[in-house]
Amino acid sequence: MTEQDEAIRTAILTVDDDPGVSRAVARDLRRRYGERHRIVRAESASAALEALRQMKLRGDLVAVILADYRMPELNGIEFLERAMDIYPGARRVLLTAYADTGAAIDAINVVDLDYYLLKPWDPPEEKLYPVVDAMIDAWLTSDHRPVPETKVIGHHWSARSSEVREFLARNQVPYRWYASDEPEGLRLLEAAGADGHSLPVVITPDGEPLIEPTDAELAAKVGLATTPSKDFYDLVVIGGGPAGLGAAVYGASEGLRTVLVERLATGGQAGQSSRIENYLGFPDGVSGAQLTDRARRQATKFGAEVLTTRNVVGLEICGSARRVTFDDGTSIDAHTVILATGVSYRRLDAPGIEEMTGRGVYYGSALTEASACLGQDIYVVGGANSAGQAAVYLARHAKSVTILVRGPSLEKSMSYYLIKQIDDIPNITVRTCTEVISAEGDDHLERLTLRNTADGSIETVPAQMLFLFIGAAPLCDWLDGVVERDGNGFVIAGPDLGVERPRGWDLDRMPYHLETSVPGVFVAGDARSESAKRVASAVGEGALAVMLVHRYLEKR
Ligand SMILES: Cc1cc2nc3c(=O)[nH]c(=O)nc-3n(C[C@H](O)[C@H](O)[C@H](O)COP(=O)(O)OP(=O)(O)OC[C@H]3O[C@@H](n4cnc5c(N)ncnc54)[C@H](O)[C@@H]3O)c2cc1C
């Protein structure tokens, strides 16, 4: 926000139950301050409090509040006390008649009044403006950071609060976080009319409070597209990771009517990677969020529609059309489909892990929780690059990071460059032959029980945070009976389908390279059986799949 914008949104509020006086104060204020400040006038304490709550939700700034002393429902002192709960930094001025000077003097102690002003204030140049000028100067030198963006008020150990932060971060929606038990968090909850039991509360940039919103509600309110604009496309891409984004960029840029459908947030696994060091063209590495955000913008620039928070649960063959069904029962049709659904983290099956997920136990969400690691002793489970990258990243914030690996060393599963980096970071320790057998705590993680797989010994360690990177599985059960998959659930394509024509295949050619057992349905990236599980190969397969889509469309 520029200084000018800030001044425009900065308000001076005046409240007086006598409409004539109220108008006169507002008129005089407007004459002198109207160009740089918004003058807000109310004729009752409750209307003024409501106006302050609305401004708080919108993230507006209030520099000065002038309140009449004698008002029927709340007197000026009681009103200012309540107003302080909402805008503690605003300067407070009481307007009093001469007879009430005693009360005004008492108020200096009760509500930390900045000034009392005797009525009438004529001429304002002598009696009103010097006071208000001084109040504005005092306010300008105090801490009054504007907060025009999305605000999230939640509890640190609430699983849903953590999910909402992750969702906003992964969709590149800037937000500010407030703990529900801290003063500003409490003020925002009060302004939103929330009781603090249902958390998180999200306040949109235009001031609308959302209590425990679903991902779909959030997406709609923060401006992410969730509804398709057409009911027929040339290409539906399912999954918004590197493979899906690659397919959307090439599909749309080559003139196909393309829609990309993503269950959660674009970026996929790569979006959770703190630093990708081996992607071509980025010698200094690049954060996964940065890379995939650029890809999403590139896809939309070329005209691809990108829908978020839409979970695909069905694929049907309807003659020459391919029908994709969402979990709310709606569907879209297309000539072709690219499956780019990647893989999802495997869950750790140990007592306490499920209950503590989001309350100290996290699957991969290292980036959004990093600041919470400050000064803590934390644990990372996993021996692959994803665990190594997370450990390196978290070590910048945490007091210590312990990597727990089941096997006897990292050499087999992690890239050499990462092992070297880890060796050089003093607050990272690697514990090999170790597995987590349980997690305990009251409302959040407090202890982990570990077992040494070599000698069977058991140890309980204090721990506030555990990050799990224990491999991944494709989540494609909804494709059962539609396309052929391997024993682990990955989608089989092209030559891997074998030398015989797939069952039900009615064309006189064999499936193209990335084509599944259904003509016109392709697979790209990690969801494909025998894929390389790398960002570059996923992007490349997305592009290649589009080339094969063109071939399919030409030769139908
Ligand atoms: C922490 C971490 C670090 C990594 N670091 C590197 C690295 O340094 N270098 C490297 O080359 N690789 C790295 N990888 C691997 C790399 O990120 C993956 O190989 C790549 O993201 C695979 O891309 P994809 O598009 O095939 O699948 P994914 O990235 O898994 O994306 C699939 C997307 O599909 C969505 N989806 C799934 N099912 C549905 C559905 N039914 N409906 C709608 N949407 C759905 C998912 O929500 C997801 O967004 C890392 C992975 C992780 C987790």
Side-chain angles (χ1 to χ4, degrees):
M1 192 189 272
T2 65
E3 241 177 61
Q4 202 186 358
D5 292 336
E6 184 173 316
I8 288 167
R9 296 195 80 185
T10 303
I12 299 174
L13 179 133
T14 165
V15 51
D16 198 310
D17 65 308
D18 178 332
V21 178
S22 169
R23 271 196 294 274
V25 183
R27 181 201 57 218
D28 285 345
L29 289 173
R30 216 164 269 133
R31 191 147 52 88
R32 164 94 171 202
Y33 304 102
E35 256 183 35
R36 289 185 55 82
H37 299 275
R38 198 149 64 84
I39 310 301
V40 179
R41 181 174 82 82
E43 290 180 9
S44 72
S46 56
L49 286 172
E50 187 49 33
L52 288 173
R53 281 190 200 103
Q54 292 302 322
M55 287 191 278
K56 184 82 183 177
L57 293 177
R58 283 198 304 267
D60 291 353
L61 302 172
V62 177
V64 185
I65 302 174
L66 295 99
D68 180 36
Y69 174 63
R70 277 189 187 269
M71 293 191 290
E73 10 167 42
L74 292 177
N75 70 36
I77 298 165
E78 290 161 341
F79 163 77
L80 286 172
E81 240 183 313
R82 301 251 189 117
M84 266 171 80
D85 289 340
I86 307 173
Y87 278 101
R91 302 286 112 182
R92 296 170 285 274
V93 178
L94 194 68
L95 290 172
T96 57
Y98 183 72
D100 296 321
T101 321
I105 292 170
D106 289 346
I108 292 182
N109 298 318
V110 180
V111 291
D112 197 11
L113 190 70
D114 291 296
Y115 207 89
Y116 68 90
L117 197 66
L118 288 181
K119 294 196 230 178
W121 56 90
D122 279 332
E125 283 73 11
E126 274 177 33
K127 296 192 177 157
L128 178 67
Y129 299 154
V131 173
V132 178
D133 282 349
M135 294 295 109
I136 292 175
D137 284 349
W139 178 80
L140 280 173
T141 54
S142 62
D143 179 21
H144 61 272
R145 283 170 302 164
V147 189
E149 73 273 81
T150 302
K151 307 174 193 66
V152 180
I153 308 109
H155 195 279
H156 183 59
W157 299 121
S158 133
R160 184 62 194 148
S161 298
S162 165
E163 281 167 15
V164 162
R165 293 171 69 183
E166 172 86 1
F167 176 81
L168 292 173
R170 289 190 54 194
N171 278 298
Q172 281 79 42
V173 177
Y175 71 88
R176 193 174 284 179
W177 162 258
Y178 299 88
S180 56
D181 50 2
E182 284 173 3
E184 188 63 4
L186 288 166
R187 280 192 278 277
L188 286 164
L189 288 175
E190 133 90 25
D195 60 9
H197 295 303
S198 306
L199 291 172
V201 172
V202 176
I203 298 169
T204 63
D206 49 9
E208 186 181 349
L210 310 171
I211 296 174
E212 283 191 295
T214 61
D215 286 348
E217 278 166 342
L218 267 181
K221 295 289 178 181
V222 297
L224 300 167
T226 54
T227 322
S229 69
K230 306 179 184 58
D231 46 25
F232 199 96
Y233 293 84
D234 294 320
L235 169 63
V236 177
V237 180
I238 307 173
L245 287 166
V249 166
Y250 287 96
S253 68
E254 290 164 17
L256 298 175
R257 287 169 299 165
T258 304
V259 61
L260 180 148
V261 183
E262 165 56 47
R263 184 174 56 174
L264 187 65
T266 50
Q269 299 165 71
Q272 297 172 45
S273 166
S274 45
R275 187 143 287 264
I276 299 170
E277 307 248 15
N278 55 358
Y279 188 65
L280 191 74
F282 292 88
D284 304 319
V286 58
S287 92
Q290 237 173 29
L291 185 71
T292 54
D293 178 46
R294 286 181 186 191
R296 184 181 50 84
R297 283 190 278 130
Q298 207 171 4
T300 48
K301 184 190 89 175
F302 283 125
E305 268 179 52
V306 176
L307 309 181
T308 39
T309 67
R310 298 309 301 266
N311 192 19
V312 174
V313 294
L315 174 65
E316 252 179 283
I317 318 305
C318 306
S320 66
R322 309 288 174 252
R323 175 161 299 159
V324 167
T325 310
F326 300 112
D327 56 1
D328 63 356
T330 59
S331 60
I332 43 177
D333 289 355
H335 290 304
T336 59
V337 170
I338 295 179
L339 301 168
T341 48
V343 293
S344 294
Y345 289 107
R346 266 204 189 100
R347 314 301 276 184
L348 179 66
D349 188 15
I353 293 289
E354 184 71 33
E355 293 84 333
M356 294 296 149
T357 299
R359 302 167 184 269
V361 173
Y362 303 95
Y363 284 92
S365 54
L367 302 180
T368 36
E369 295 303 330
S371 58
C373 298
L374 205 69
Q376 311 249 27
D377 298 307
I378 64 160
Y379 288 81
V380 172
V381 175
N385 281 2
S386 51
Q389 281 176 10
V392 169
Y393 183 75
L394 294 169
R396 285 191 230 144
H397 304 265
K399 190 162 124 218
S400 75
V401 177
T402 307
I403 304 180
L404 305 175
V405 197
R406 257 211 198 140
S409 79
L410 287 175
E411 265 75 27
K412 267 198 182 153
S413 49
M414 198 177 281
S415 295
Y416 177 69
Y417 79 88
L418 260 179
I419 298 179
K420 283 272 306 157
Q421 269 182 26
I422 287 169
D423 277 350
D424 292 343
I425 300 175
N427 62 336
I428 303 187
T429 314
V430 180
R431 270 180 80 156
T432 53
C433 300
T434 306
E435 62 182 7
V436 175
I437 55 169
S438 71
E440 295 116 47
D442 277 339
D443 68 339
H444 63 90
L445 180 68
E446 289 169 286
R447 290 171 303 281
L448 288 174
T449 302
L450 311 176
R451 190 164 67 110
N452 184 313
T453 53
D455 61 17
S457 59
I458 286 179
E459 184 190 355
T460 298
V461 293
Q464 275 92 46
M465 301 191 104
L466 170 70
F467 294 90
L468 297 163
F469 296 86
I470 51 166
L475 291 181
C476 300
D477 290 351
W478 55 275
L479 288 168
D480 255 357
V482 186
V483 298
E484 279 188 33
R485 297 189 299 144
D486 69 14
N488 294 317
F490 291 93
V491 178
I492 309 175
D496 292 335
L497 285 161
V499 288
E500 300 287 318
R501 292 210 165 90
R503 202 160 357 114
W505 186 268
D506 58 0
L507 302 179
D508 57 5
R509 62 165 176 86
M510 293 297 285
Y512 296 135
H513 194 67
L514 296 177
E515 200 169 23
T516 67
S517 56
V518 173
V521 176
F522 299 81
V523 60
D526 283 12
R528 186 174 66 80
S529 178
E530 303 297 328
S531 63
K533 313 283 185 293
R534 289 281 183 276
V535 176
S537 52
V539 173
E541 289 188 12
L544 175 60
V546 169
M547 194 199 93
L548 299 170
V549 162
H550 283 296
R551 193 182 295 172
Y552 169 85
L553 291 173
E554 279 159 22
K555 302 208 169 148
R556 261 179 319 155

